[in-house]
C-alpha cells in the first residue's frame, strides 16, 4: 500500500494524515480556518485532531446537528451566515470534519460561498472515507430528493484517518461497508470475494485504500459522470428511492442500508437485462443477507418509490436509468428498466426477505 493517492489535482493521504493536515495548513497561508463539525464529530473527532495538532489553535468552529434530515438549504444558510459572521473571505479554508453529511454539505457551502473558498475533507465515517469525500460531488437534499442541489467541486486535499472509526457504531460501519462491497461488485471480483468474511469492525487501512483507489480511478477517467463514473451508481437508483421513502418514516435507513437493498434489486435487474448469471445473483443476494439487517418494503410504497426514481437526476428523457452488472466485477451504464421490471425486482427482494 502506498501512503497517498493522487486524484483530480489533489492528494488523498492515508498515513499520518492528521500530521499531513497540519503541514497543509502551515504551507498555505490561509486568512482564517474553520472546522465544520456536527455534534458527534465535535465530541469524538475534534479532540483527536487537537491532540495530533496542538500547535493549531487559531480556528473557528461551525457546528451543525447530525443527520441526513439536516442536509438541506436551511442548515446550509446557517453555515454561510456563520462564515460571514466570523469574517470569512476568499482566502479562508473550511475543514469538513465529519461523515458524508458534513463533507457533502460543507463542500457545497464552501464551493458557493463568495464564489468558492478552499475546503479539505477529513472524513470520519467509513462511508465518507471510502466514498463521499472522494470525487468532488457536493450537495444537499431538497424535498426528500437526495443530493438534488449541488456542484462538482474538488477539495484541496483529503485526509483519511482510520482511528476515527473507533467511536463509530456497528450500524454506521456496516453502512459504509455497503459501498466497499459495491466497489468490488462493479470492478474487482476477487476484492468482492475477499470481503465476504470480513467484519466491518476489523477493516484494515489497506482495504479502505483499495476501495478509495477503485473509486478514484473511475472518477479520474470521467470526472463529470458522462460515462464510466455512472457505474458507481450501481444499486443507487433503487437504493436512493428507498432511502428517500424511509426518510419520511420514524425509522430512517442509513445510506448503506438502503444501498444494500438497492444492490439486491439491481442485481436482479442485471440478471434480467444485462447477462448477470443466476449463480452470481445468488452470491450477491447471500452476501447482502449476511451483512445487513434487511427491512420490509411494503407493496403500498411502490408507486412512491417509482416516483422518486422518475425524479432521479441521472434520468434522461423520462426513462429510469441504471448501472447494471454483466458479471461480478464488471458493470455497464445507461441501461433502462420499465416500471414493471422495477416492480418485479422489488418483489424479488421481498422474496429474499421471506
Ligand atoms: N459526495 C459523494 O460522492 C457521496 C457518496 C456517498 C455518500 N454521500 C452522502 O454521504 C451521506 C452519508 O454519509 P455518512 O454515512 O457518513 O453519514 P453522516 O454524516 O450522517 O454520519 C453518520 C453518523 O455518524 C456520526 N459520526 C461521524 N463520525 C463519527 C465518529 N468518528 N464517531 C462517532 N460518530 C460519528 C455522525 O454525527 C452521524 O450521526 C449521505 O448524505 C450521502 O448522500 C455522498
Ligand atoms: Zn452511495
Amino acid at each position: 500500500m502506498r501512503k497517498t493517492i493522487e486524484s483530480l489535482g489533489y492528494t488523498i493521504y492515508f498515513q499520518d494524515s492528521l500530521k499531513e493536515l497540519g503541514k497543509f495548513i502551515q504551507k498555505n497561508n490561509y486568512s482564517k480556518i474553520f472546522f465544520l463539525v456536527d455534534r458527534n464529530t465535535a465530541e469524538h473527532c475534534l479532540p483527536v485532531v487537537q491532540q495530533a495538532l496542538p500547535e493549531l489553535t487559531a480556528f473557528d468552529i461551525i457546528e451543525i446537528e447530525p443527520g441526513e434530515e439536516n442536509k438541506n438549504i436551511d442548515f446550509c444558510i446557517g453555515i454561510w451566515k456563520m462564515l460571514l459572521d466570523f469574517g470569512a473571505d476568499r482566502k479562508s479554508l473550511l475543514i469538513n470534519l465529519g461523515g458524508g453529511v458534513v463533507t457533502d454539505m460543507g463542500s457545497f457551502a464552501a464551493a458557493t460561498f463568495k464564489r468558492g473558498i478552499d475546503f479539505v475533507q477529513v472524513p470520519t465515517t467509513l462511508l465518507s472515507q471510502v466514498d463521499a469525500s472522494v470525487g468532488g460531488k457536493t450537495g444537499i437534499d431538497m424535498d426528500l430528493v437526495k443530493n438534488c442541489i449541488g456542484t462538482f467541486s474538488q477539495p484541496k486535499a483529503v485526509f483519511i484517518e482510520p482511528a476515527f472509526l473507533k467511536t463509530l457504531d456497528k450500524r454506521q460501519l456496516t453502512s459504509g461497508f455497503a459501498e466497499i462491497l459495491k466497489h468490488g461488485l462493479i470492478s474487482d471480483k476477487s476484492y468482492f470475494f475477499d470481503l465476504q468474511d470480513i467484519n466491518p469492525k476489523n477493516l484494515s487501512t489497506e482495504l479502505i485504500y483499495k476501495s478509495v483507489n477503485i473509486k478514484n480511478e473511475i472518477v479520474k477517467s470521467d470526472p463529470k459522470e458522462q460515462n464510466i463514473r455512472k457505474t458507481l451508481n450501481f444499486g443507487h437508483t433503487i437504493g436512493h428511492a428507498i432511502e428517500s421513502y424511509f426518510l419520511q418514516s420514524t425509522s430512517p435507513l442509513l445510506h448503506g442500508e438502503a444501498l444494500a437493498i438497492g444492490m439486491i434489486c439491481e442485481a436482479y435487474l442485471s440478471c434480467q437485462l444485462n447477462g448477470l448469471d443466476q449463480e452470481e445473483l445468488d452470491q450477491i443476494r447471500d452476501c447482502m443477507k449476511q451483512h445487513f439487517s434487511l427491512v420490509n418494503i411494503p407493496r403500498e410504497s411502490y408507486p412512491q418509490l417509482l416516483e422518486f426514481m422518475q425524479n432521479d437526476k441521472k434520468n434522461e428523457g423520462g426513462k429510469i436509468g441504471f448501472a447494471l452488472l454483466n458479471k461480478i466485477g464488471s458493470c455497464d451504464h445507461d441501461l433502462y428498466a420499465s416500471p414493471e421490471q422495477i416492480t418485479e425486482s422489488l418483489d424479488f427482494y421481498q422474496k429474499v426477505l421471506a
Side-chain angles (χ1 to χ4, degrees):
M1 189 188 101
R2 286 173 300 140
K3 294 180 189 169
T4 59
I5 290 177
E6 289 309 312
S7 190
L8 296 159
Y10 64 92
T11 302
I12 305 165
Y13 295 90
F14 289 85
Q15 221 167 49
D16 299 322
S17 299
L18 295 179
K19 291 275 170 242
E20 295 292 345
L21 171 64
K23 282 192 222 160
F24 173 89
I25 293 171
Q26 215 170 29
K27 199 171 69 193
N28 293 284
N29 237 334
Y30 287 109
S31 59
K32 276 182 189 288
I33 290 168
F34 298 92
F35 276 90
L36 179 68
V37 291
D38 68 20
R39 196 175 350 100
N40 296 322
T41 61
E43 181 185 341
H44 297 296
C45 306
L46 199 52
V48 178
V49 175
Q50 285 173 300
Q51 199 175 15
L53 301 176
E55 67 283 6
L56 180 65
T57 51
F59 59 82
D60 289 302
I61 298 168
I62 302 175
E63 187 177 318
I64 58 171
E65 283 298 302
E68 181 73 29
E69 65 277 20
N70 302 316
K71 195 176 128 181
N72 59 38
I73 193 70
D74 297 325
F75 271 83
C76 204
I77 290 171
I79 298 170
W80 287 322
K81 278 198 171 140
M82 293 279 275
L83 286 170
L84 264 185
D85 288 352
F86 283 131
D89 60 27
R90 288 176 95 170
K91 288 290 294 171
S92 300
L93 173 72
L94 183 67
I95 303 172
N96 298 317
L97 178 66
V101 168
V102 165
T103 58
D104 272 17
M105 183 155 63
S107 47
F108 177 67
T112 46
F113 184 78
K114 299 199 173 176
R115 298 217 172 81
I117 61 171
D118 283 4
F119 65 92
V120 295
Q121 310 287 41
V122 187
T124 61
T125 61
L126 181 57
L127 188 132
S128 57
Q129 293 190 347
V130 297
D131 195 355
S133 65
V134 175
K137 280 190 185 177
T138 83
I140 52 175
D141 307 334
M142 191 179 71
D143 289 347
L144 299 176
V145 184
K146 294 257 315 157
N147 305 321
C148 183
I149 309 292
T151 65
F152 281 106
S153 311
Q154 304 302 333
K156 289 291 163 197
V158 177
F159 303 93
I160 292 180
E161 175 51 71
F164 287 130
L165 303 181
K166 284 188 207 141
T167 53
L168 206 61
D169 65 32
K170 173 131 194 302
R171 198 174 158 202
Q172 293 287 352
L173 278 171
T174 310
S175 171
F177 195 60
E179 299 283 5
I180 294 183
L181 289 169
K182 181 199 74 182
H183 289 146
L185 283 174
I186 63 170
S187 78
D188 190 334
K189 183 173 179 165
S190 66
Y191 181 48
F192 176 73
F193 284 108
D194 287 350
L195 291 165
Q196 295 315 302
D197 296 317
I198 300 261
N199 178 345
K201 271 188 113 123
N202 308 322
L203 215 58
S204 65
T205 310
E206 227 139 302
L207 286 178
I208 294 176
Y209 179 95
K210 187 140 192 191
S211 243
V212 172
N213 205 32
I214 289 174
K215 172 155 187 188
N216 189 51
E217 284 304 312
I218 294 173
V219 159
K220 269 199 315 194
S221 60
D222 176 25
K224 290 269 171 80
E225 201 169 301
Q226 277 153 344
N227 42 69
I228 189 177
R229 186 168 181 171
K230 294 182 183 179
T231 60
L232 288 165
N233 295 323
F234 172 66
H236 282 71
T237 305
I238 295 179
H240 269 157
I242 289 170
E243 190 178 4
S244 297
Y245 178 79
F246 278 92
L247 258 185
Q248 319 160 80
S249 81
T250 47
S251 43
L253 291 180
L254 299 181
H255 179 73
E257 293 169 338
L259 171 59
I261 301 172
M263 287 195 284
I264 295 177
C265 296
E266 294 185 22
Y268 174 84
L269 290 176
S270 301
C271 189
Q272 299 299 309
L273 305 171
N274 203 36
L276 179 74
D277 68 40
Q278 183 68 41
E279 192 192 339
E280 293 200 328
L281 171 62
D282 293 346
Q283 285 166 330
I284 296 168
R285 176 202 63 197
D286 293 347
C287 163
M288 299 304 158
K289 257 186 118 163
Q290 178 193 335
H291 286 286
F292 299 91
S293 37
L294 302 169
V295 299
N296 180 46
I297 309 285
R299 258 192 156 250
E300 306 84 81
S301 70
Y302 289 9
Q304 209 183 350
L305 291 174
L306 285 165
E307 203 181 306
F308 280 127
M309 289 177 224
Q310 298 280 8
N311 279 334
D312 196 296
K313 60 189 168 313
K314 297 180 286 287
N315 289 340
E316 275 178 39
K319 289 189 291 184
I320 300 176
F322 286 87
L324 298 176
L325 307 174
N326 53 61
K327 55 179 189 246
I328 290 179
S330 175
C331 190
D332 300 304
H333 51 83
D334 289 323
L335 293 145
Y336 298 92
S338 66
E340 293 72 30
Q341 288 163 328
I342 296 168
T343 298
E344 237 178 66
S345 78
L346 290 161
D347 284 342
F348 171 79
Y349 167 75
Q350 286 299 102
K351 279 198 218 103
V352 171
L353 264 190

